[in-house]
Amino acid sequence: MLGEAMRRVRADLDKRAHTRSVVLAHAFVAGAQPSESERDISVGGVSRVPTGIFDDIDYVALGHLHGRHVLEDHIRYSGSPLAYSFGESDRVKGSWLVDLGPTGVSAAHFIEAPVPRRLVRLTGDLETLLSDPDPDRHEHDWVRVTLTDALRPARAMERLRRRFEHTLVLSFAPTGATPVQLPIASVVGRRDHEIALDFVAELRGVPATSVESDLLLEACDACCEDTDLDVPVGEA
């Protein structure tokens, strides 16, 4: 499809004397690196096109990839004006300002775009992150947090958002936790409380505490009480 489009572009250029050419294309061109926020735009099994498809064009302004790339002096991605995933948190956003001379690109300058809210990734245990001595640190940023606490803190997201209002993503990578390898066992004949304790141990990597076990037992008992209600059965 892109090859046919460029064939038509060149056919039109052949009718114009002493004309400089600028092509805008939405494509994944070989040599560029994608980020996690872009969609697959492959068509007919072809996901990337070679830079040679734009030979003899004075300047090619590419779109689709969210990062800035210079594939050749006359083939560039400006990237998106804003970051759309935390994988782009280290990228500088903006646009290319290009000067075209008689024989092609004579100068190109990257103009940084204003960023209303940065993307930052924070890693550490909850208390350390919450006790940051700088009260304004990341106050206005979009935040992704990875907690390293050995045990998952209670109400972690709620507490983080009191400190970092714009926390969007929370994940856990507990330090020192050894995954508990539980055998696959049938739930038949086992108490709900036992199954819940196994689930906690497998998910978190460490067994539930005695306090957590008591809470789970209370919750399981409450659920069993609800299922003991008399339910009228209609006649067939």
Side-chain angles (χ1 to χ4, degrees):
M1 294 176 65
L2 187 55
E4 173 60 19
M6 290 306 302
R7 185 193 68 77
R8 298 186 184 190
V9 167
R10 291 187 174 92
D12 182 75
L13 286 173
D14 288 342
K15 303 173 185 177
R16 305 171 186 269
H18 310 294
T19 298
R20 288 174 297 181
S21 55
V22 176
V23 168
L24 281 66
H26 185 270
F28 191 170
V29 179
Q33 295 298 319
S35 64
E36 62 188 29
S37 58
E38 287 123 11
R39 293 181 300 172
D40 182 9
I41 59 169
S42 59
V43 177
V46 178
S47 60
R48 303 192 186 196
V49 297
T51 56
I53 202 168
F54 301 112
D55 284 349
D56 304 323
I57 301 300
D58 290 315
Y59 186 73
V60 181
L62 294 172
H64 175 58
L65 297 186
H66 294 170
R68 172 180 32 156
H69 296 285
V70 179
L71 304 182
E72 295 184 17
D73 194 43
H74 71 296
I75 304 176
R76 299 170 184 253
Y77 285 94
S78 286
S80 59
L82 296 173
Y84 293 104
S85 70
F86 283 94
E88 303 176 64
S89 59
D90 298 328
R91 291 181 174 177
V92 178
K93 297 296 184 175
S95 303
W96 287 107
L97 180 61
V98 178
D99 294 329
L100 288 180
T103 58
V105 177
S106 58
H109 305 280
F110 192 76
I111 309 299
E112 293 188 17
V115 179
R117 201 184 302 283
R118 297 183 307 157
L119 295 179
V120 298
R121 291 177 283 190
L122 303 179
T123 301
D125 64 87
L126 181 60
E127 294 304 326
T128 299
L129 294 177
L130 295 180
S131 61
D132 190 324
D134 184 351
D136 297 324
R137 184 175 172 81
H138 306 309
E139 181 181 9
H140 303 291
D141 299 334
W142 297 118
V143 179
R144 176 175 185 167
V145 176
T146 301
L147 290 181
T148 59
D149 300 75
L151 295 178
R152 294 195 181 194
R155 305 184 305 279
M157 180 62 92
E158 177 185 338
R159 295 166 66 188
L160 283 166
R161 283 180 172 167
R162 292 198 198 107
R163 178 65 180 79
F164 309 109
E165 180 181 358
H166 304 289
T167 300
L168 293 180
V169 181
L170 174 60
S171 58
F172 297 89
T175 300
T178 302
V180 177
Q181 299 297 327
L182 297 174
I184 299 176
S186 171
V187 298
V188 178
R190 302 183 67 208
R191 298 175 60 200
D192 292 342
H193 183 228
E194 295 174 346
I195 298 171
L197 289 177
D198 282 352
F199 175 75
V200 170
E202 184 173 0
L203 177 68
R204 193 168 61 185
V206 293
T209 65
S210 59
V211 173
E212 291 170 335
S213 178
D214 290 343
L215 289 173
L216 285 171
L217 179 59
E218 182 180 340
C220 290
D221 288 344
C223 290
C224 289
E225 290 175 2
D226 291 341
T227 58
D228 289 339
L229 296 176
D230 293 331
V231 178
V233 178
E235 295 180 359

